[in-house]
Amino acid sequence: MSGLAALLLRGVNVGGVTVRSAPLRACLESIEGVEQAATVLASGNAVVRTGLDPEPLRVAAEAAVERDLGAHVPLVVQTLAQVDDLVATLPYALDDERTHAYVTLAQTEGGLDPWVRLAVELDQEHTRLSPTALAWTCPVGRSLDTPFARAQGRGRLPGSTGETAPITTRNARTLARLQATADKLG
């Protein structure tokens, strides 16, 4: 039985890692078990129709992107039901003229725990949406320069020398765009 899943590639089209939409779509459609793919925006977001569970899909997609596009890109996979739950439970407005809402996602439970601790340390407004999703806000125009946003952009905790679990962050409006794209795939 097929289902829909969102693939969120980390660090695509920033910092010299360029992945174009058409080659990404073709790459994802080449994965055994993926029936159809659609890209969302030019920032490494895709929705696929697949019979694969999230973890095997993540592993296959990371390998395919490296093989076909020459980029080692960690990614997070969410089922469409998970994306729907995130948008439904988001306590922040999708469109606010003063603040933007973001959602940071980890592939594994516990992967966000250090980020939650950092948010508390920095007095960053945040809400834990699930064991693998953290919502937070940032003033418009400051999405790259607040302490929490800078740490998110680097993908590692300040002062950290070890690796943390792979995470990726999306503007909450992007999650709504993923839902709209999933609706088109039907």
Side-chain angles (χ1 to χ4, degrees):
M1 182 166 120
S2 304
L4 295 172
L7 283 73
L8 308 164
L9 287 72
R10 174 160 176 72
V12 168
N13 298 337
V14 295
V17 177
T18 302
V19 175
R20 303 214 182 285
S21 292
L24 175 60
R25 185 175 51 256
C27 170
L28 295 174
E29 287 180 341
S30 76
I31 298 169
E32 188 173 332
V34 172
E35 300 163 21
Q36 187 179 14
T39 56
V40 180
L41 305 173
S43 58
N45 302 294
V47 175
V48 299
R49 175 176 302 291
T50 183
L52 298 173
D53 287 332
E55 184 58 15
L57 177 59
R58 182 192 66 76
V59 170
E62 283 182 358
V65 167
E66 189 160 6
R67 177 193 70 227
D68 296 352
L69 306 178
H72 175 70
V73 179
L75 60 92
V76 171
V77 174
Q78 297 279 293
T79 66
L80 183 59
Q82 288 172 310
V83 172
D84 290 343
D85 287 346
L86 294 175
V87 173
T89 60
L90 187 71
Y92 311 118
L94 289 179
D95 293 306
D96 182 311
E97 61 187 45
R98 294 182 321 273
T99 61
H100 287 287
Y102 291 91
V103 178
T104 299
L105 299 156
Q107 188 64 33
T108 58
E109 287 191 27
L112 285 179
D113 293 348
W115 294 98
V116 171
R117 287 190 295 276
L118 180 63
V120 170
E121 246 177 68
L122 296 174
D123 200 25
Q124 170 67 53
E125 182 177 356
H126 67 282
T127 301
R128 189 87 179 245
L129 300 176
S130 77
T132 59
L134 176 70
W136 53 282
T137 62
C138 186
V140 169
R142 301 222 32 229
S143 62
L144 299 176
D145 68 359
T146 66
F148 193 73
R150 279 196 309 273
Q152 291 278 305
R154 287 188 302 271
R156 66 179 194 278
L157 298 162
S160 157
T161 56
E163 285 194 28
T164 58
I167 60 157
T168 193
T169 300
R170 293 297 187 273
N171 186 300
R173 290 187 314 256
T174 301
L175 298 178
R177 288 184 181 113
L178 287 165
Q179 290 177 304
T181 299
D183 287 345
K184 290 177 187 173
L185 286 182

